[in-house]
Structures are given as C-alpha cells and as structure tokens.
Amino acid sequence: MAGHEHHHHHFSLCFCDLMRLLWSLVVPCVYLSLALTLLLLLVLLGLRLWLQARRRSRRAQQGGPAVAFFHPYCNAGGGGERVLWCSLRALMHRYPSVAFVVYTGDKGVTGEQILEGARQRFNIALPRPVTFIFLRHRGLVEAASYPHFTLLGQSLGSMFLGWEALTAFVPDLYVDSMGYAFTLPIFRYLGGCKVASYVHYPTVSTDMLSVVRERNPRFNNADFISRNPVLSALKAVYYCCFALLYGLAGSCSHVVMVNSTWTLRHILALWRSPGRTSIVYPPCDVRAFLDVPLEGGDDDDDELEEGWEELGGDEEGGGGADRKRHSIVSVGQFRPEKDHPLQIRAFRKLLDRKGDGPGGREALRLVLVGGCRNQEDEDRVLMLRGLCQELGVADRVDFKLNVPFEELKRELANASIGLHTMWNEHFGIGVVECMAAGTVVLAHKSGGPQLDIVVPHEGRQTGFLADSEDSYAAAMETILALSPSAKLEIKRAARESVGRFSDQEFEACFLAATESLLNQLVP
C-alpha cells in the first residue's frame, strides 16, 4: 500500500514538472508567434508596395489603365473561351483607351495564332491588339498533377500560377474568366487591383457535399469511398473545409458574374456576396443554326408515310432514307458526367416500347455526336460500344466522333429529338444549339436546362425534361407521337427563346456588370 502511494506521489511530481515546463514555454511561443506574424505582415506589405510601384511605372509608360484576363487555356475551343473573346471584344469597343492582357499557359503557339484560332472557331475578330503573357507553370492547375486531394492541389497550384502572372504584369483590373477563385485575394490584396470573376462552374458545390454525405457513387465520388462510411465522413469534412476556404477566396471579388441560375444559387451559398453577384448568360453562337428550316424532315406527314417503306432498304444511299428515319441525336464530349450510358439504356427501353412494327425499331436511330479529347475518352467510347452490344442495340446506334461543324449542323437539322442527359449541367450550350437548330429537345431535369433553358417562352412549351431511364423513354415516345403542327409550335417557341443567349445579349450584360469597376479606372 505504501509503495502504491509512493508511486502515485512520484507521478504527481512528474506531472507538475511537465506542466511547469509547458507553461514556461508559453510566453516564448507567444512572442515567437507575434514576431513571425509581424515579419509576415512586413513581407506582404513590402510585396504590395513593390507591385504597386511596378503598376505606376507601367501606367506612366503606357499612359492608361490595363485590364488582364486570367485564362490559362485560352487556345482551347470551348464555351469558356467564347466568353473570353466576346468579353474582350465588348470591352475594346466600349473603352478605347484601355489596354488588354491575357494570361495564358498555352505553349508552342504565338499570340497571332491564338487570335487566328479564335477567329476561325468562333468567328470573333478583336478590333485592337491584345498582349499575351505566357505562363510557364500551367501544369500546377491540371488535375493529372494531383491524383489525391485534387481540388486542394489545383487550388494551391492556381495561387502559384496567379503569383507568376501578377509578377509578370500588374493590371488595374483583374478578371478571372476560368473559375480560379484562389487567385482573387492575391491580385486584390497583394497587387492592389480591382478584381472581377466570371464563374462557369463552382469548384465545390453543395450538390457535391450532398453526394458525399449520402454516399452516392457519382462521377466525383469513387465507389470505394461511397462504400466506406469512415472514408465518406472524412471526405465530407474535407469538402466542408475546402468549401469554407473557397467561399472566403471568392468573396474577395468586387464583381461576380455567373453563367446560370444553378451556378448563382451555389455561388450565393458559398461566396455570400449577393449585392455583387449577377447572372450573365454565356454567348451561344445561335446565328449559325438559324438558317435550318423548321418545316421539313419528319414534320411532313407524306414524306414520313413514304419513308417507313424505305427504312428496311439499303442504308448506303445516305441522305434520303436518313431524313425519313427518326434520329435521336446527342451532342457532347465523351466525358463521364455526360452520362451516355443513360442515353443508350433509355433508347433500349424506347425500342422495347415501340416494338418491331411500322414506325418501330427499324425506324429509330440514336446518334452520339461528340469529341474525344484523349485516350481516356476513346476508351470510354469503346466501353459504350460494348454496352450497345450487350443491350442488343448496336445496329441502331451510331457514333460520330470529332465531326466538322457542317456535319453537326446537318445531324441536328435532320434530328427528331435532341438528347441531353448530364445531371446538374451548369448551363448547357449544346441544349441551346439544339433549340436554335429547330430540334425538339429532351434534357435532364436539373441544372441550367431546367432552370434557364428549357423553360416556357411566352407561355409556350420549348422542350421536354426527364431524369431516369423510364422517364426518358416515355418522353421520347411522347415526342415521336406529336403531330407535325404540335412539333412545329414547340420548335418555333424554342428558337424564339434562345435569343436570350446571343452574343449581343451577353455583351450588354457583361458591360453592365463591369461598368462600375471600369468607370473607376477610365477618367
């Protein structure tokens, strides 16, 4: 018993000594923390003064303000690049005394070649020259560089890439046109710049958080994580912490533009800047499709009656038979989130509903039109072909990869249905193009298509929405059963409604959103 008391007394002394030691370290640690914090603040202040001196020197030489766009992939040919070039064209026309700069990470290409590519792809020619700042470390923002913790890695990488951009050129107004929110505080607080952002898609969204919490195996949630409750909980915590940092970074923007109502809701929830946030729909090249006649093709009853007799014949004749067949056309890159398997399975169910009689299986084709960016996309196409074989629809499904624009336009002109199946598409330029081309649209009942695009126009229906294999099959059957006059009415309403997404509408809204910042720069 005495030994036990002695042991307890000895333990108490050791514990008291340890506490005294830790307490004696608190004051030095506090002083050290304060000294390091002060040193960091002095370094940041010095960097800010240095960068502002560089901007004043540059303005003295050039004699006017400069606006810089951060777009590391500006030589790509997507909708985000169309936003960039339309924004530049609008600002150049409105503010002739302002110089314009684009930060890009493209390699092996000159500025002249980038501008020529924009002219060829989008038919956009800038009225004045633009200066390109070529960044050397674009790999820092590429997902392939971060097999794990990809969001965090890319965001930290964007901060380093943004620092490279800022030290190369200090603008008066910085515009992030690709969604790299973590660059905003660097340009605002270190560069002393006005900052604006155009958000195509939030880096993290409340939908992504719900997918992880519900352990749903979607495209951004691997199966091994969704099956494991511990990993799912850890990923949910990671996403919540990242969402908090993302919101703090995004809230640094003086002006926030988003491309859709769906994106607006998420950005308001994360960035919490309602007074500075507005919707600016992306510019869609609807003019290229407006010459497609709304009347014709499957809208002509007599042609259809004759067409049913020809469908079993020689398909190599091409044009005539194809036009009389009901083609269901999907347009979109072969990426996992586009959910092509849903299209194929829904098409199989449609064939089962229609049977083998007149106007049945032999009258229907599913045409998957899309681009393959890399080997991964090509492997995905092989998988989709295998799914077609497995479901017994390979003879009814066509794959058309990387087709020229004129062929795309021809497919849409001859299509009975334009098909879209991506869950929570942030906007849906492909859906807009289908509507402009006079195709009856069947889109996913979520995201931009549901909230902004396939909505009534002046009280008239503009298309259809679905969200499952059965509902897609039923909707396709309904569309095919519509009378020619009913189809024509939907097509007309849809085409009239897409004027909201023209280049002119985008430029007017973009200028209105950025006017408050530009007026502070231009005397």
Side-chain angles (χ1 to χ4, degrees), residues 71-226:
H71 208 102
Y73 295 87
C74 77
N75 199 37
E81 287 66 57
R82 197 164 212 287
V83 167
L84 170 67
W85 304 121
C86 285
S87 302
L88 281 166
R89 181 175 62 185
L91 290 173
M92 284 182 174
H93 281 303
R94 174 68 69 86
Y95 303 100
S97 63
V98 176
F100 293 91
V101 169
V102 174
Y103 300 115
T104 179
D106 294 301
K107 298 178 180 178
V109 65
T110 65
E112 290 77 13
Q113 290 171 327
I114 292 175
L115 292 174
E116 178 60 21
R119 189 190 64 79
Q120 291 181 356
R121 294 187 190 104
F122 307 119
N123 193 30
I124 295 175
L126 300 182
R128 290 190 282 122
V130 60
T131 302
F132 289 92
I133 304 293
F134 290 91
L135 308 176
R136 295 174 297 168
H137 301 103
R138 189 175 70 179
L140 293 172
V141 299
E142 293 179 354
S145 302
Y146 310 99
H148 305 291
F149 298 98
T150 308
L151 292 180
L152 181 60
Q154 286 182 287
S155 298
L156 292 174
S158 72
M159 296 178 73
F160 285 102
L161 193 64
W163 174 251
E164 180 188 351
L166 180 59
T167 54
F169 185 90
V170 187
D172 298 279
L173 170 61
Y174 168 78
V175 184
D176 166 39
S177 52
M178 277 201 73
Y180 292 109
F182 285 84
T183 64
L184 298 171
I186 293 175
F187 277 82
R188 176 169 179 173
Y189 295 115
L190 287 182
C193 310
K194 298 294 183 181
V195 294
S197 54
Y198 187 94
V199 184
H200 299 272
Y201 195 88
T203 303
V204 63
S205 68
T206 51
D207 290 325
M208 293 167 66
L209 294 173
S210 66
V211 164
V212 176
R213 288 196 191 101
E214 297 166 7
R215 297 170 60 191
N216 190 338
R218 280 194 178 268
F219 310 114
N220 56 355
N221 198 32
D223 287 344
F224 76 91
I225 292 178
S226 63

Side-chain angles (χ1 to χ4, degrees), residues 375-418:
Q375 186 61 46
E376 186 179 347
D377 287 354
E378 293 176 9
D379 293 342
R380 192 168 293 111
V381 171
L382 290 177
M383 181 273 292
L384 293 172
R385 290 183 186 274
L387 179 61
C388 292
Q389 292 283 353
E390 178 186 331
L391 296 178
V393 297
D395 61 323
R396 297 286 95 199
V397 180
D398 294 333
F399 290 83
K400 302 205 171 184
L401 313 180
N402 302 317
V403 301
F405 177 74
E406 287 304 317
E407 185 174 351
L408 166 65
K409 190 174 175 180
R410 187 163 57 250
E411 288 292 344
L412 289 178
N414 294 330
S416 299
I417 300 172

Side-chain angles (χ1 to χ4, degrees), residues 201 218-219 262 330 333 335-340 342-343 419-428 431 442-450 466 472:
Y201 195 88
R218 280 194 178 268
F219 310 114
W262 181 87
S330 162
Q333 286 184 328
R335 305 201 310 260
E337 62 269 25
K338 296 298 183 182
D339 207 354
H340 290 91
L342 172 58
Q343 300 177 2
L419 191 59
H420 166 276
T421 50
M422 179 176 169
W423 172 72
N424 271 346
E425 173 92 82
H426 49 98
F427 180 69
V431 178
L442 172 56
H444 199 282
K445 193 176 182 180
S446 65
Q450 179 189 20
Y472 268 100

Side-chain angles (χ1 to χ4, degrees), residues 297 300-313 320-321 323-325:
D300 188 323
D301 269 340
D302 294 334
E303 283 189 18
L304 273 178
E305 293 294 335
E306 297 171 6
W308 300 128
E309 301 174 3
E310 299 181 25
L311 289 170
R323 279 193 295 272
K324 296 175 175 63
R325 165 183 304 128

